[in-house]
Amino acid sequence: MANVPLSRDIEAFRAIEISHLARQLSARGRSVIHMEFGQPSDGAPAGAVAAARAALDEPDMGYWESVPLRKRIARHYAEDYGVEVDAQRILLTCGASPALVLALLTAFAAGSRVMTARPGYVAYRNSLRALQMIPVEVECGAADRFQISARAIREADPKPDGLIVASPANPTGTIIPPAELAEIAEVCRVRGIRIISDEIYHRLSYGAETHSILQYDPDAFVINSFSKYYGMPGWRLGWIVCPQALVADVRARAGNLFLSPPSLSQQAALAAFDCEEELDARVAMYRRNRERLIACLAKLGITDIAPSDGAFYIYASIAHLTDDSLSFCKRLLEDTGVATAPGLDFDPDRGGRFIRFSYAVTTDMAREACTRIEAWFRDNFPNAG
Ligand SMILES: Cc1ncc(COP(=O)(O)O)c(C=O)c1O
């Protein structure tokens, strides 16, 4: 039997390459500011860390899934969106990444065509390919807030089997307005297109409200995690909300592929729900970082920026400076110690002309990054501003 090259066409994250270089610089004693990953620099909130410490003394560190945490997540849907979700429909996963794999594997067969926005999170394209599915990437621009529109879905020919939406999105942070999200749900219902909504950046918005797809489509899959708002990326914990009819199918796949989520993280995550004050203070800090960075970039002549409604990203065009964002990011890092992500990760076509900054850093780090970038521009692009 012929070998099927399962990893065919799966590219590595360029941001990981940048991060690797950044760590080498740190090891050599250089001061590095990490803005390449969407990773809150503050870590887990204090209440979550305390709960984890206390849990270390408990005997039950085996394979289990926390019922209180699933119930708490169900309550979150009622409180934040006014949507009743039976806790039975919620499965805990090792982050949003396995939740995406579970949703794709349960909803679609190999060969299925699934629409995603370009620019978009690189793992959508690559997870689809790894599962022998076909990413149908729709080039999105400023007119549609870099998001797939209901119109694009209505006009898609042939009809895709599925759609992945993310609002706020990575890399842009743009949010789909509620009327548009409702229309997307309606078009998908009429055309028989299954929706997976990646809501990992919910609770991170700076004006526009975030709405769950469950407000418009009870049969959508939702994936989410504790990696972003809750500041717990390395704790590897997330969840999936499944359509009622598919809960047993998802559970069967989850058990076989991933067994159970980390016990310690489940204890910590339950406590994280009570840390809103600390976490919301961080969102306020991200808001200030965002304003500072936008003002800094404007001074340097970088003004073509996707509307950064939420998440903690700025996705900016540097087309007037380069069409090789990877080399640009490497040079910026080597010269200044500021690590950023090249747009190529999110858009293989136009991404050479874009850069993504993550501003989930402390106020001091954001201030220092701006100082270094401004000095670098004065030396390298004196006429840019
Ligand atoms: C849009 C999006 N979805 C999913 C993930 C994966 O997150 P997790 O750490 O929960 O696996 C990320 C991580 O950056 C992301 O940006």
Side-chain angles (χ1 to χ4, degrees):
M1 203 172 106
N3 277 338
V4 181
L6 283 180
S7 61
R8 188 187 46 202
D9 297 335
I10 296 176
E11 311 115 35
F13 283 25
R14 268 80 162 201
I16 293 181
E17 191 182 330
I18 295 282
S19 189
H20 188 67
L21 286 177
R23 287 186 191 283
Q24 284 176 341
L25 285 186
S26 281
R28 280 192 252 130
R30 285 277 303 279
S31 145
V32 170
I33 301 171
H34 288 279
M35 302 179 99
E36 76 277 30
F37 285 150
Q39 170 161 285
S41 61
D42 275 339
V49 174
R53 286 214 174 91
L56 281 175
D57 291 328
E58 286 176 21
D60 197 0
M61 283 291 173
Y63 298 128
W64 55 266
E65 201 191 2
S66 164
V67 174
L69 182 55
R70 284 165 57 208
K71 287 188 174 155
R72 184 62 191 84
I73 293 171
R75 201 177 109 200
H76 154 75
Y77 284 96
E79 288 172 356
D80 280 33
Y81 311 108
V83 172
E84 288 304 318
V85 174
D86 186 339
Q88 296 296 331
R89 286 173 57 200
I90 297 166
L91 267 78
L92 300 173
T93 58
C94 306
S97 307
L100 173 67
V101 170
L102 288 171
L104 291 173
L105 274 176
T106 309
F108 309 115
S112 297
R113 302 171 66 261
V114 180
M115 254 178 138
T116 62
R118 177 191 280 184
Y121 179 48
V122 60
Y124 300 149
R125 173 170 69 244
N126 288 327
S127 301
L128 283 161
R129 284 183 179 153
L131 299 173
Q132 309 285 296
M133 296 168 189
I134 303 165
V136 179
E137 291 183 295
V138 179
E139 193 168 292
C140 299
D144 290 315
R145 303 184 93 69
F146 294 88
Q147 293 275 8
I148 292 182
S149 63
R151 174 186 32 80
I153 303 166
R154 194 178 295 112
E155 289 170 2
D157 182 21
K159 169 185 95 69
D161 302 289
L163 167 75
I164 301 177
V165 279
S167 166
N170 179 4
T172 57
T174 62
I175 290 178
I176 303 175
E180 179 71 16
L181 197 59
E183 202 180 330
I184 288 174
E186 176 59 12
V187 175
C188 287
R189 190 189 61 75
V190 170
R191 297 200 76 191
I193 299 169
R194 172 80 72 178
I195 302 177
I196 298 174
S197 178
D198 183 347
E199 302 186 353
I200 192 167
Y201 292 106
H202 278 213
R203 291 193 158 190
L204 291 161
S205 65
Y206 310 101
E209 267 182 43
T210 49
H211 291 253
S212 174
I213 196 72
L214 295 175
Q215 294 170 255
Y216 312 106
D217 177 4
D219 282 330
F221 281 93
V222 170
I223 63 174
N224 204 328
S225 96
F226 292 91
S227 295
K228 307 298 178 181
Y229 170 78
Y230 301 93
M232 300 172 66
W235 297 69
R236 306 310 304 138
L237 192 67
W239 71 88
I240 179 169
V241 184
C242 316
Q244 186 66 57
L246 295 176
V247 174
D249 289 338
V250 177
R251 207 162 260 297
R253 285 162 178 75
N256 279 283
L257 293 177
F258 306 112
L259 267 180
S260 66
S263 327
L264 194 62
S265 306
Q266 298 183 67
Q267 309 270 24
L270 186 57
F273 271 107
D274 296 328
C275 299
E276 266 183 32
E277 204 177 316
E278 182 180 347
L279 296 171
D280 287 344
R282 290 184 190 179
V283 180
M285 179 174 73
Y286 301 155
R287 179 194 293 276
R288 291 192 297 274
N289 290 350
R290 169 182 171 273
E291 280 157 19
R292 183 186 299 276
L293 201 56
I294 290 173
C296 158
L297 295 176
K299 270 197 256 170
L300 307 176
I302 300 178
T303 50
D304 187 0
I305 292 175
S308 54
D309 304 323
F312 31 54
Y313 300 123
I314 285 178
Y315 192 63
S317 168
I318 46 170
H320 56 301
L321 304 173
T322 185
D323 59 3
D324 179 1
S325 57
L326 182 58
S327 302
F328 185 92
C329 291
K330 283 184 182 167
R331 245 182 78 207
L332 178 65
L333 172 62
E334 276 155 15
D335 292 351
T336 68
V338 178
T340 53
L344 278 174
D345 266 348
F346 315 102
D347 185 341
D349 287 344
R350 297 170 295 169
R353 302 190 294 277
F354 285 84
I355 185 169
R356 189 197 72 179
F357 297 86
S358 163
Y359 52 82
V361 293
T362 64
T363 307
D364 284 349
M365 288 175 189
R367 189 183 294 120
E368 177 62 17
C370 289
T371 305
R372 293 185 196 180
I373 294 171
E374 283 174 28
W376 190 69
F377 262 72
R378 272 197 300 278
D379 292 344
N380 291 278
F381 306 100
N383 302 320

